[in-house]
Amino acid sequence: MPKLFKLKVDTPAGTLFEDDVLQVEIKTPNGMVGFLAEHQPSIGSILPSICYIRDNKGERVSTVVNTGIYKMDGEQINIITDFFDFTSKINQSVFEIRKQKIEQVVSHKNITNIKIYESIQRKLQNELDELSKLSKKS
């Protein structure tokens, strides 16, 4: 049996998840990265995405994580973000809150090129659609 290691997810509201897991997969600016016990120590950024956790029973569970950072020390991976939840628990109101937060950020930026703004809006809608599909499957 593969070795377990600790996953801890912290947000401004406190620790949302802490348990022993077999594997964690997160999306970074360089693509998806998988972590197992005794992984090389590393620190990096996380993109808003679906994160996968293989729990201590071997089941692959999907979660939604917002922008954040991770720190892996070989024995524990710590994810720090402002949003984390299991896709099976997410409902439409969560998507609406996420959409509002992203739209607030976009509106505060000086985006004068309408094509760039429309591209951001399309990407946002695609992300929300994908999250909605995943939460219905779970």
Side-chain angles (χ1 to χ4, degrees), residues 20-127:
D20 291 330
V21 298
L22 292 168
Q23 182 180 17
V24 176
E25 299 170 61
I26 56 176
K27 186 173 184 181
T28 72
N30 296 320
M32 292 298 285
V33 179
F35 295 90
L36 298 169
E38 301 176 358
H39 189 280
Q40 177 179 347
S42 59
I43 297 174
S45 60
I46 301 171
L47 297 178
S49 60
I50 302 298
C51 169
Y52 298 98
I53 300 168
R54 192 159 306 271
D55 65 19
N56 55 17
K57 297 175 187 167
E59 289 187 38
R60 189 173 189 230
V61 181
S62 60
T63 66
V64 176
V65 65
N66 199 10
T67 301
I69 60 171
Y70 71 88
K71 177 185 175 197
M72 175 60 162
D73 66 11
E75 297 176 15
Q76 173 175 306
I77 186 166
N78 190 9
I79 294 175
I80 302 169
T81 183
D82 67 348
F83 183 84
F84 175 90
D85 208 347
F86 292 88
T87 56
S88 60
K89 295 181 182 177
I90 294 178
N91 59 35
Q92 192 60 36
S93 64
V94 171
F95 295 121
E96 289 303 317
I97 291 167
R98 172 101 167 92
K99 182 178 178 181
Q100 288 171 4
K101 284 184 178 182
I102 292 172
E103 287 176 341
Q104 285 173 353
V105 170
V106 169
S107 70
H108 289 345
K109 292 188 177 187
N110 247 349
I111 301 176
T112 55
N113 186 327
I114 192 68
K115 289 184 180 183
I116 293 173
Y117 182 79
E118 288 173 348
S119 173
I120 291 169
Q121 289 294 91
R122 275 194 306 278
K123 287 178 183 177
L124 169 62
Q125 190 58 53
N126 290 341
E127 178 185 338

